[in-house]
Amino acid sequence: MTLNQAAAERRFNPEAGVGPSGRFAPIARPDLSFTAEVREATAPVYEKVKHFIPEIEWAVLAPMIHAINKLKKERNAVILAHNYMTPDIYHGVADIVGDSLQLAIEATRTDADVIVQCGVHFMAETSKILSPEKTVLIPDMKAGCSLAESITGADVRALRERNPGIPIITYVNTSADVKAECDICCTSSNALQVVESFGVDKVFLIPDKYLAANVGNKTDVEVLVWDGACEVHERFTAQELRDYRQIEPDVKIIAHPECPPEVVAEADFAGSTAHMIDWVKTKRPAKVMMITECSMADNVASETPGVSYIRPCNLCPHMKRITLSKILDTLLEMKEEVIVDPAIAEKARTAVERMINLNS
Ligand code: 13P
Ligand code: SF4
């Protein structure tokens, strides 16, 4: 029996019981002892994270990693994890890691029955929009985003009414309702390309006013903004970066484009989380400062020996809601399922697929 057949049987066999998602039987909690088998199976992961996770903590995390990796097979599930996940998730249980664009593309490619989205809610919604037939789970339904919360579908309708004929591009960090009202989606990886794809002289790029301003600085297209911001990146200041350079004159500073433009102007490079990682892997600076969420440097450090990371960073409280123990519960109990109204999903899919098609 293939994994897919086994999963289908579990889902539709009434004898198997019905889990909270309505289709899956819950699985009993496994023994979480740090046995010799667990130690051996997780040793390659520990090699990557040992600089951040003390052995005493590993004894608690390793059994969860081992159990999650077994459960993924039983559930025919794939874990899509954003680059801001902690190293135990990023190196221990993720099948695919990446920025928002990469995760959206991978959601269309996987043949797993179940996607466990380790990231924030809009990312899980994007996966559901692209794969309506799949079960999409998020380990914590409260993992939100200040950008997604800054705008509603009704706001976009009003914006369009006041500005007829101007294309509205939505950053992927928005709800399905908002995506459904917009012409196309973008991520920080492709925002400039999307803005220029219309061939017009004026577009809206909502809701991140800083991303919009940073893109506007690179193009002749007038980029109109919405007054939203990322609560993590807006806290960095240009003065802070200048101060760091005084202390560490040879440091390379790379920033996420959700930072204010004056911060981006002080940086040596700005790009999406994936582009930031690629930049460090390619350029191999002796010292680097990643002006973004804290887990980025931890995750990339084990893959870039010889690079030393200077770590001013800000934690995203929403991303940090996702933990190994919640991922374990997610796969055991098949909760919490992300549902998108099919009519909204269909409209939102058009916006997301237009973006993906631009990249292919
Ligand atoms: P990326 O698409 O660059 O990964 O950004 C997502 C995000 O939420 C950054 O704050
Ligand atoms: Fe949203 Fe900012 Fe957190 Fe990214 S880092 S999920 S933009 S609040």
Side-chain angles (χ1 to χ4, degrees):
M1 188 186 290
T2 65
L3 273 177
N4 278 340
Q5 283 165 333
E9 196 155 286
R10 267 196 309 280
R11 268 187 286 166
F12 301 114
N13 176 5
E15 303 289 294
V18 176
S21 81
R23 297 187 299 281
F24 294 89
I27 293 177
R29 182 158 285 274
D31 173 26
L32 292 176
S33 310
F34 190 37
T35 60
E37 183 204 344
V38 170
R39 184 191 289 273
E40 197 186 319
T42 57
V45 181
Y46 194 55
E47 208 33 50
K48 293 184 186 162
V49 300
K50 64 185 179 193
H51 298 300
F52 315 105
I53 302 178
E55 271 193 60
I56 189 159
E57 201 183 327
W58 190 243
V60 176
L61 299 178
M64 287 194 272
I65 290 176
H66 194 56
I68 290 167
N69 286 331
K70 276 186 165 174
L71 276 166
K72 281 192 309 194
K73 293 196 185 110
E74 285 183 53
R75 297 295 200 188
N76 191 23
V78 68
I79 294 188
L80 303 185
H82 186 260
N83 289 326
Y84 291 164
M85 291 295 101
T86 47
D88 50 347
I89 297 173
Y90 185 95
H91 291 293
V93 299
D95 297 293
I96 307 283
V97 293
D99 66 6
S100 308
L101 179 64
Q102 290 167 325
L103 297 183
I105 292 171
E106 290 303 331
T108 65
R109 291 187 178 154
T110 178
D111 57 7
D113 292 322
V114 177
I115 295 176
V116 178
Q117 194 86 30
C118 292
V120 291
H121 188 263
F122 76 80
M123 295 177 176
E125 252 190 2
T126 306
S127 291
K128 184 69 188 176
I129 288 166
L130 292 169
S131 300
E133 75 294 352
K134 293 193 194 305
T135 299
V136 177
L137 305 173
I138 184 162
D140 190 328
M141 207 41 114
K142 293 199 201 87
C145 169
S146 64
L147 282 167
E149 272 139 39
S150 71
I151 189 161
T152 64
D155 290 331
V156 182
R157 283 195 294 278
L159 193 66
R160 208 185 272 290
E161 249 177 61
R162 290 197 304 272
N163 300 277
I166 302 182
I168 304 182
I169 303 165
T170 178
Y171 192 29
V172 70
N173 297 39
T174 49
S175 66
D177 283 4
V178 168
K179 290 184 179 79
E181 297 296 336
C182 292
D183 297 296
I184 189 169
C185 190
C186 77
T187 72
S188 52
S189 272
N190 59 18
L192 177 62
Q193 184 194 4
V194 173
V195 162
E196 294 187 336
S197 70
F198 285 87
V200 297
D201 56 8
K202 208 188 272 186
V203 298
F204 272 101
L205 172 47
I206 57 154
D208 186 347
K209 62 182 171 188
Y210 295 133
L211 176 74
N214 286 320
V215 172
N217 286 341
K218 290 204 219 158
T219 178
D220 291 336
V221 180
E222 187 182 352
V223 183
L224 305 170
V225 305
W226 182 260
D227 190 18
C230 161
E231 67 187 82
V232 176
H233 291 92
E234 71 175 347
R235 298 199 331 251
F236 293 107
T237 66
Q239 186 55 50
E240 176 185 6
L241 266 56
R242 286 192 287 272
D243 292 345
Y244 291 131
R245 274 204 207 275
Q246 283 241 304
I247 305 163
E248 297 277 358
D250 50 350
V251 73
K252 294 292 177 200
I253 301 183
I254 61 175
H256 195 277
E258 289 169 9
C259 293
E262 60 277 14
V263 171
V264 167
E266 288 294 332
D268 297 294
F269 172 77
S272 77
T273 56
H275 289 169
M276 291 170 86
I277 292 174
D278 287 349
W279 192 92
V280 177
K281 285 185 177 170
T282 315
K283 305 270 179 193
R284 296 288 171 136
K287 278 185 206 163
V288 70
M289 208 177 256
M290 288 183 146
I291 301 300
T292 188
E293 214 274 345
C294 299
S295 291
M296 281 274 289
D298 295 349
N299 289 336
V300 79
S302 67
E303 292 161 2
T304 51
V307 178
S308 105
Y309 291 83
I310 299 164
R311 294 167 190 265
C313 61
N314 291 329
L315 278 172
C316 172
H318 311 289
M319 291 280 184
K320 290 311 89 82
R321 280 183 172 276
I322 309 300
T323 62
L324 274 186
S325 101
K326 288 183 195 168
I327 298 170
L328 180 61
D329 288 348
T330 296
L331 282 164
L332 289 173
E333 297 167 33
M334 298 304 279
K335 61 166 195 183
E336 301 185 43
E337 186 167 1
V338 175
I339 307 286
V340 182
D341 178 310
I344 291 172
E346 201 181 318
K347 285 171 79 186
R349 193 175 313 123
T350 306
V352 180
E353 282 179 350
R354 275 188 191 140
M355 166 187 81
I356 291 177
N357 291 340
L358 271 188
N359 275 75
S360 54

